[in-house]
Amino acid sequence: MKNPSSFRGILGLGSVSTNYYLQRIHQKYKENNQEFSTCPFLLYQIDFQELNPFLPNDFKVLKPKLENYLEQVQNLGISKLLIPNITLHETLDQIESPVQICHALDLTLKYLKENNITSITLFGTNYTMNAASIKEKFKSENIAIVLPQKEDQIWIDDFRKAVYTSSTTLSQESEFHDLIRKYGEKKPVVLACTELSIFSLKEESLCVDMAECQIEEFLKPF
């Protein structure tokens, strides 16, 4: 029997982003294994409403809540955890985790450095695109962040809200792809929002998706 300390785990958050990760993990696992393979993991689903009102940066509330979830995850025998929310990683950086985290920003920075990418355009929530903590983290690795034009930042943030409520239109989805290609002509576009990842251009090198970096790490043998 497999040692329970080696379980992969997912912290279930919002339904749209969590379901996307689950679908994508099973898809990629199947591609790498036999025809009917499904990825073994434990899902620890919380009520996202316990966190969402305090995002992005009410750390005095977020830190103890996240510490409690991580303790419960560890008690389930999970040793490798994926958290399907990019914004929460700022809180994760301020606490000690008892389990291995598939850290979205750290894994993305590793990918960029391995591919000699020194400048990117950042797509995310309005908060993420303008967060000092992310700029500092990228700067520490000598990677420059360029932001979309202000009107495009507003559009991107409105689009990700529409994704969250499952109310996007085909026209919006096409416009989002056009924006990726527009900015991707000059430098790679990094997607730093799980809702945006749902509509990422996965087969195009001009689009670097933080969620994909997490999923690739999650599926590695450990």
Side-chain angles (χ1 to χ4, degrees):
M1 181 177 179
K2 188 174 181 180
N3 189 330
S5 66
S6 63
F7 287 157
R8 294 182 180 94
I10 298 172
L11 182 66
L13 300 173
S15 61
V16 172
S17 60
T18 300
N19 286 335
Y20 168 72
Y21 273 81
L22 298 182
Q23 177 271 328
R24 187 67 177 154
I25 285 168
H26 283 308
Q27 178 185 351
K28 292 184 72 67
Y29 188 85
K30 181 179 176 181
E31 290 171 359
N32 296 329
N33 294 277
Q34 296 178 348
E35 182 180 2
F36 298 106
S37 296
T38 52
C39 182
F41 58 79
L42 297 179
L43 172 65
Y44 183 67
Q45 180 66 53
I46 67 165
D47 182 355
F48 190 44
Q49 189 60 23
E50 293 180 2
L51 292 178
N52 196 45
F54 307 105
L55 289 170
N57 59 354
D58 191 347
F59 300 122
K60 68 180 183 297
V61 177
L62 291 171
K63 287 169 63 176
K65 284 183 176 292
L66 202 52
E67 287 171 335
N68 180 54
Y69 298 146
L70 292 175
E71 181 180 353
Q72 294 179 50
V73 161
Q74 183 187 36
N75 290 339
L76 290 173
I78 291 169
S79 60
K80 187 178 189 179
L81 183 68
L82 188 153
I83 298 178
N85 181 289
I86 305 304
T87 306
L88 265 177
H89 285 71
E90 185 177 6
T91 305
L92 281 169
D93 286 339
Q94 301 180 42
I95 62 178
E96 288 191 22
S97 173
V99 299
Q100 177 189 347
I101 301 291
C102 298
H103 195 294
L105 272 73
D106 292 347
L107 292 167
T108 301
L109 287 169
K110 179 183 178 184
Y111 172 87
L112 296 175
K113 290 175 67 178
E114 288 175 348
N115 288 274
N116 299 313
I117 297 170
T118 58
S119 182
I120 60 97
T121 299
L122 186 67
F123 282 19
T125 66
N126 184 62
Y127 175 82
T128 297
M129 286 186 282
N130 294 281
S133 61
I134 291 183
K135 293 176 183 177
E136 290 168 4
K137 198 154 191 168
F138 274 70
K139 184 179 179 180
S140 70
E141 299 294 340
N142 297 312
I143 298 174
I145 291 178
V146 177
L147 296 181
Q149 296 176 356
K150 193 63 180 178
E151 59 268 28
D152 289 335
Q153 290 184 46
I154 294 170
W155 190 94
I156 291 166
D157 195 55
D158 287 342
F159 177 70
R160 67 97 187 168
K161 292 175 183 175
V163 176
Y164 184 78
T165 58
S166 302
S167 59
T168 60
T169 65
L170 290 176
S171 176
Q172 287 176 310
E173 293 162 16
S174 177
E175 186 171 351
F176 178 61
H177 289 159
D178 289 344
L179 275 178
I180 294 176
R181 293 190 176 100
K182 168 187 169 182
Y183 285 99
E185 287 181 355
K186 297 181 179 179
K187 50 181 61 67
V189 172
V190 170
L191 300 184
C193 171
T194 52
E195 284 78 28
L196 298 182
S197 296
I198 295 172
F199 294 101
S200 66
L201 297 175
K202 294 176 176 56
E203 305 304 321
E204 299 190 23
S205 60
L206 54 80
C207 183
V208 179
D209 184 359
M210 286 193 180
E212 285 292 295
C213 292
Q214 286 180 283
I215 292 167
E216 292 285 350
E217 180 66 25
F218 183 75
L219 291 175
K220 287 180 180 177
F222 69 107

